[in-house]
Structures are given as structure tokens and as C-alpha cells.
Amino acid sequence: MRAAAHPVVHIDDDRFRVTEWQFGPGAETGWHRHGHDYVIVPLCDGQLVLDLPGGQKATASLTQGVPYSRREGVEHNVTNGSDSAPLAFLEVEVVDGALAHRRQSTMIAMMDAFNARDVEGVMACMAADCAFHASAGPEAEGQRHLGRDAVRRATEAALEAFPEAAWTEGKHSLAGDTGLSSWRFVGCRPDGSRVDVRGCDILLFDGDLIAVKDSYRKARG
Ligand code: NI
């Protein structure tokens, strides 16, 4: 039975978590999966023994002050390879990357749901308190649909207006709480008239979900 490494959390905010891991001789972290991208900064020279999934073992040399980075998903048990010397490193996790990743997934899921004509799938991407500002309408914001029921009705109406509709060439990006989904919309109305225009949604996020979907479409003239 090995001793446990000791974590000391120095920073834990919405963007970073910085943990100093202090290992006595032969101490181990225990099995863990990294939920975030991270950087390790060794605070001293040393040797790590890594237990990896599938029963594999590896060793890694640490050099004081020489950092290395790893991506989310790494799974291992980390042991101080020395039986006599302590070891320490800083682990710097980029925790907001996970939120950005989930928001990116939400934008992809919403476009997929529109293409699947899945109204509940669209609503699953929207926050409890949500709004949809259509690309056309009487107000400066277009037609505003406020609240989940109104957003659901507007989504149904948009799909009814275009019995054939495809949002293609989707591109999704994020800046802070704002998402941008751009696409090319190709649709056919019940009267057979076709629309083929580029457009975008400017999205305001609340957590993982969309609080405001503000739609813009090119007008061909
Ligand atoms: Ni680890």
C-alpha cells in the first residue's frame, strides 16, 4: 500500500485550476481521468512511474521548471519513482475549455436538430429562459419570440414554412458567452419557391445552453 500524494489547490476559478501535487517517496495519486487540458510544471527534478489503462507501465523524467502539456482524457495513476526523495509539480488545468467544448457541442446539436426537423431536439439546446429573434419581422431585432413556449412555436412555424430545409456548411465559433453559427440555408416553401442564402445565428449562452438565438439571413435582391 503506497502513501497518497497530497494535492494543494492554489487557484480554482472559472478559467483555471492550479494544484500543487506533493509526493512523499513512493507516493501515488491514485487512478484518475483528466477532465481538462492541462500543463504540468515540475517543481523539482524527478522520475514518475505511470500506470496506464490496460496494465501498461511507463516512466517519465521531470526536469525542474520544464513544463509539458496533455489533453483532456488522459487516464493514469502517477507514482513518485523515488523511494528516498520527495517530488512536487504544479498541475495547471484549463477548466473553461470544457465549457467551450460543451457549448460547441450545443451549437452542432442545434443545427443537427434543425436538419432532422426535431423540435424537441432544438428545445434541448435552449436554456430554461430563452428567446429567438427571427431574421425578419417588425422590430429592430426581427420578430422576437420570448420564452420556451414561444420559441417552440416559432421553431415549428419555421419548419412548417419550409417543408424542405437544410442548414449546410455549418461553422461554429465562440467568444466568451457569445457563439456564432454560420451556415448556408437551402429550403423550399410549400408553393415551390426556393431559398438558398447564407446566414448566421448569434447566440448568447447561459451555461451550456442557448439563452438567445438571434438569426440573420442574406436577402437576395
Ligand atoms: Ni494525472
Side-chain angles (χ1 to χ4, degrees):
M1 191 69 193
R2 297 176 189 145
H6 179 59
V8 179
V9 177
H10 291 285
I11 298 171
D12 190 7
D13 62 27
D14 57 327
R15 284 177 66 74
F16 302 108
R17 184 162 53 222
V18 179
T19 308
E20 180 179 341
W21 284 92
Q22 302 167 344
F23 295 75
E28 65 179 354
T29 57
W31 276 95
H32 57 277
R33 180 190 179 279
H34 286 266
H36 309 285
D37 297 347
Y38 63 101
V39 170
I40 297 293
V41 184
L43 298 174
C44 57
D45 292 355
Q47 190 86 11
L48 295 179
V49 177
L50 306 164
D51 297 309
L52 304 171
Q56 288 176 293
K57 251 184 177 16
T59 57
S61 292
L62 299 185
T63 304
Q64 183 179 12
V66 178
Y68 59 90
S69 63
R70 295 287 182 269
R71 299 295 170 175
E72 176 192 351
V74 170
E75 222 177 322
H76 54 201
N77 176 30
V78 176
T79 304
N80 178 1
S82 170
D83 292 330
S84 53
L87 178 74
F89 56 73
L90 285 179
E91 176 190 38
V92 181
E93 296 174 279
V94 186
V95 295
D96 76 339
L99 179 61
H101 189 80
R102 293 198 300 273
R103 287 174 169 177
Q104 194 87 17
S105 299
T106 298
M107 291 191 279
I108 293 167
M110 189 173 68
M111 184 171 291
D112 288 348
F114 268 99
N115 279 319
R117 310 182 72 80
D118 173 9
V119 174
E120 288 315 309
V122 171
M123 294 312 297
C125 298
M126 303 298 292
D129 186 12
C130 62
F132 166 46
H133 300 172
S135 55
E139 297 163 85
E141 296 84 2
Q143 180 75 53
R144 291 192 296 168
H145 305 277
L146 307 179
R148 282 188 78 81
D149 291 344
V151 171
R152 182 182 281 106
R153 282 195 300 273
T155 302
E156 287 165 351
L159 292 170
E160 275 164 28
F162 288 95
E164 281 175 49
W167 287 261
T168 65
E169 300 173 37
K171 287 203 186 86
H172 312 283
S173 59
L174 269 171
D177 290 332
T178 303
L180 179 68
S181 283
S182 63
W183 28 260
R184 181 174 187 142
F185 174 73
V186 181
C188 190
R189 295 192 183 89
D191 67 5
S193 61
R194 296 186 68 80
V195 173
D196 178 2
V197 291
R198 289 195 182 277
C200 67
D201 291 309
I202 298 176
L203 306 163
L204 179 64
F205 277 91
D206 175 6
D208 298 0
L209 300 174
I210 296 162
V212 179
K213 176 183 186 293
D214 193 7
S215 291
Y216 295 82
R217 243 162 60 175
K218 298 283 187 185
R220 289 209 185 198

